[in-house]
Amino acid sequence: MRQYTDKKYIEATETKPHPILKKHMNAELEIISKVENSKEKTFIDLGAGHGRLTRPVAKIARNLISIEINKEMLPELNKRSSEFGNTRVIVRDFTKLSDILKTEDVKKPVLMLVQNTLGTVEGDWKKVLKEMKKVAEEYKGEIIISFFKQEALKTWGIELYSSISWMTGELDLDKTDFESGKFVSKTGYISKWRSRKEIEEIKEFFGGEIINEESSDNWIVLHIKP
Ligand SMILES: C[S@@+](CC[C@H](N)C(=O)[O-])C[C@H]1O[C@@H](n2cnc3c(N)ncnc32)[C@H](O)[C@@H]1O
């Protein structure tokens, strides 16, 4: 992921998104826009990238904290964030989320881990889930999380990654494992797509209430109150 730049990411997600990816991103936005009393809440964008969500979220939020580890994403993320008075960019590793938030202005957080970011996380993905649950419980927050589905890797996945191979690198058939939903490219980009069972296990791990859910054969977006 670190070889990505904000410009490449803008092209893949905003200028020329794959139609199914576009539907997925619209579903995320739809769920985000339905968060109740959003003006009382701190939205936290985990792996904010180039700030695709910055503008729509800053407008509806009390405040927005964008956490991003890849410095190549910062020019556009900083630019979009600077358009608002209620945003903040933090260049850190979100596996240390509870630590990061200790010194931040956080009220009823809405933790957003979107666009299958859990599948491409730099670091221990289990730690990310633990930290999200811990923060959601401590601050009485909510979680919006999305996944690409393992069953779709063979179909939509192949199409998606071939349409953005200029960014991810070409499919490495020897290392990609459709059964476990693991995509690997020849340049070493890895993305884990999750099975129904794995998604159910994550829901159970968070516990609590599913506030909203949107899905297709290819992806799922969940809004959870642990
Ligand atoms: C799949 S991209 C999604 C970007 C953005 N959320 C969007 O939807 O357009 C995942 C992003 O998470 C960032 N990321 C991955 N692991 C991270 C970590 N441990 N801490 C902070 N950012 C991370 C990557 O650099 C990348 O920008």
Side-chain angles (χ1 to χ4, degrees):
M1 208 66 174
R2 297 229 197 172
Q3 72 264 39
Y4 287 15
T5 62
D6 53 355
K7 287 190 182 51
K8 283 186 185 170
Y9 219 77
I10 288 170
E11 188 163 342
T13 64
E14 292 181 355
T15 325
K16 293 188 209 155
H18 185 288
I20 294 176
L21 181 66
K22 193 167 167 86
K23 279 200 180 138
H24 169 74
M25 295 187 295
N26 285 343
E28 290 173 341
L29 277 173
E30 178 82 14
I31 286 196
I32 290 167
S33 70
K34 287 185 181 151
V35 170
E36 284 186 356
N37 303 317
S38 59
K39 280 278 170 199
E40 295 168 12
K41 296 178 179 174
T42 301
F43 285 67
I44 303 177
D45 195 358
L46 300 167
H50 69 277
R52 184 174 61 84
L53 293 178
T54 301
R55 290 171 179 144
V57 173
K59 284 179 192 152
I60 62 162
R62 172 184 180 272
N63 60 324
L64 166 66
I65 298 172
S66 302
I67 307 176
E68 175 54 54
I69 204 166
N70 182 356
K71 293 195 170 66
E72 296 291 325
M73 294 291 191
L74 294 184
E76 188 68 20
L77 179 59
N78 282 329
K79 177 172 163 242
R80 293 186 189 195
S81 294
S82 68
E83 293 166 10
F84 301 87
N86 62 346
T87 58
R88 203 167 130 60
V89 172
I90 299 180
V91 188
R92 281 190 65 185
D93 174 356
F94 61 53
T95 64
K96 303 191 172 75
L97 183 64
S98 51
D99 224 45
I100 295 172
L101 296 183
K102 273 181 192 152
T103 49
E104 297 300 320
D105 174 19
V106 179
K107 291 262 156 61
K108 298 185 191 162
V110 180
L111 306 174
M112 304 183 296
L113 189 72
V114 297
Q115 218 188 56
N116 199 40
T117 290
L118 191 68
T120 63
V121 132
E122 293 191 18
D124 179 356
W125 64 269
K126 287 191 177 148
K127 184 151 190 260
V128 177
L129 295 182
K130 278 188 203 144
E131 284 285 294
M132 289 174 80
K133 186 174 179 186
K134 182 176 166 191
V135 167
E137 285 176 350
E138 251 177 52
Y139 295 80
K140 302 199 189 320
E142 297 153 48
I143 288 168
I144 295 176
I145 188 165
S146 73
F147 305 99
F148 297 161
K149 291 185 176 174
Q150 172 260 322
E151 309 89 64
L153 181 57
K154 252 194 212 134
T155 50
W156 175 47
I158 296 305
E159 244 185 61
L160 174 69
Y161 291 123
S162 73
S163 74
I164 54 170
S165 60
W166 47 270
M167 179 166 87
T168 53
E170 308 245 328
L171 163 78
D172 186 334
L173 253 186
D174 294 334
K175 293 189 180 146
T176 293
D177 179 12
F178 294 106
E179 286 309 304
S180 67
K182 188 175 166 194
F183 171 86
V184 185
S185 79
K186 288 182 179 161
T187 54
Y189 170 72
I190 297 175
S191 181
K192 160 86 174 145
W193 293 36
R194 285 189 157 73
S195 68
R196 253 171 252 275
K197 184 166 170 276
E198 288 168 326
I199 294 167
E200 279 311 311
E201 283 166 0
I202 291 172
K203 276 189 192 173
E204 271 168 38
F205 170 76
F206 284 134
E209 180 196 352
I210 303 289
I211 299 177
N212 205 349
E213 178 171 336
E214 284 243 21
S215 68
S216 75
D217 292 342
N218 301 298
W219 47 260
I220 179 163
V221 188
L222 297 169
H223 181 186
I224 306 173
K225 177 114 180 66

